[in-house]
Amino acid sequence: MENKKTASKQSIKKIALCGVMIALGTVLSMFKVYEPPLGGGVTVMSMVPVAFISCVLGLKWGFGAAFAYSLIQLLISFGEVMSWGLSAGAVVATLILDYILAYTVLFVCGAFRKKGAIGIVAGVALGTFLRFVCHFLTGVYIFDIWLPEEWDNVWIYSLCYNGGYMLPELIITTVASVAIYGVIRKR
């Protein structure tokens, strides 16, 4: 009986931590250091709380939190996406690739968590790279209608556009995650 109570208390603590981290990530996502004209942006460490969940609680909890975070990001941006004048197929691709998959893949940030700081760096880099891939593919699909005249290749445009904000996000998230890992490890 005591083991069930202990397990139940641990689950409640994990759920509470996930809720707080998802809320923190959501609030941080609203503070953008740089926001390009067609969506995306460099935020103030908005991916760190989701990466933290995955690194501390593991991939299962990280997946649940990242999926919940993706749905919140989708709801926040839904009106904007609908105002872009996209075809039905482009809207579906954007909602799935640019939101649900792009944010859910952040659960992999904890994939190498047992390897210490190097594992945190590798996991966060992998999660952020996979998020970039989702945005890149969406860009290839939808940027064709907005491709500036000086660009003749939508693949390169999507690479440059999405890389322009995802590379700083990768650096910010990795540095912050390693710093937090260092503080937690010393405790």
Side-chain angles (χ1 to χ4, degrees), residues 93 122 175 184:
V175 169
I184 291 172

Side-chain angles (χ1 to χ4, degrees), residues 7 11 20 45 47 51 64 72 77 100 125 145 147 156 158 167 182-183:
S11 291
V20 168
M45 300 183 290
M47 293 189 299
I72 292 169
S77 301
I100 295 174
I145 62 174
L147 193 64
I156 294 173
S158 184
L167 182 59
V183 169

Side-chain angles (χ1 to χ4, degrees), residues 90-105:
V91 168
V92 170
T94 300
L95 297 178
I96 291 171
L97 270 175
D98 236 18
Y99 290 93
I100 295 174
L101 286 177
Y103 291 101
T104 300
V105 297

Side-chain angles (χ1 to χ4, degrees), residues 68-136:
Y69 183 68
S70 78
L71 295 178
I72 292 169
Q73 292 301 309
L74 175 89
L75 289 172
I76 289 170
S77 301
F78 187 76
E80 180 184 355
V81 171
M82 297 309 287
S83 74
W84 291 345
L86 301 173
S87 68
V91 168
V92 170
T94 300
L95 297 178
I96 291 171
L97 270 175
D98 236 18
Y99 290 93
I100 295 174
L101 286 177
Y103 291 101
T104 300
V105 297
L106 294 176
F107 86 95
V108 303
C109 289
F112 311 111
R113 67 193 182 112
K114 294 183 179 175
K115 304 286 185 197
I118 298 294
I120 301 297
V121 169
V124 169
L126 177 61
T128 306
F129 175 75
L130 291 173
R131 180 178 162 204
F132 161 77
V133 169
C134 292
H135 293 309
F136 169 74

Side-chain angles (χ1 to χ4, degrees), residues 146-153:
W146 294 310
L147 193 64
E149 288 181 22
E150 59 272 9
W151 292 83
D152 60 352
N153 187 317

Side-chain angles (χ1 to χ4, degrees), residues 164-175:
Y165 71 88
M166 285 305 300
L167 182 59
E169 281 283 296
L170 172 108
I171 294 166
I172 291 167
T173 304
T174 303
V175 169

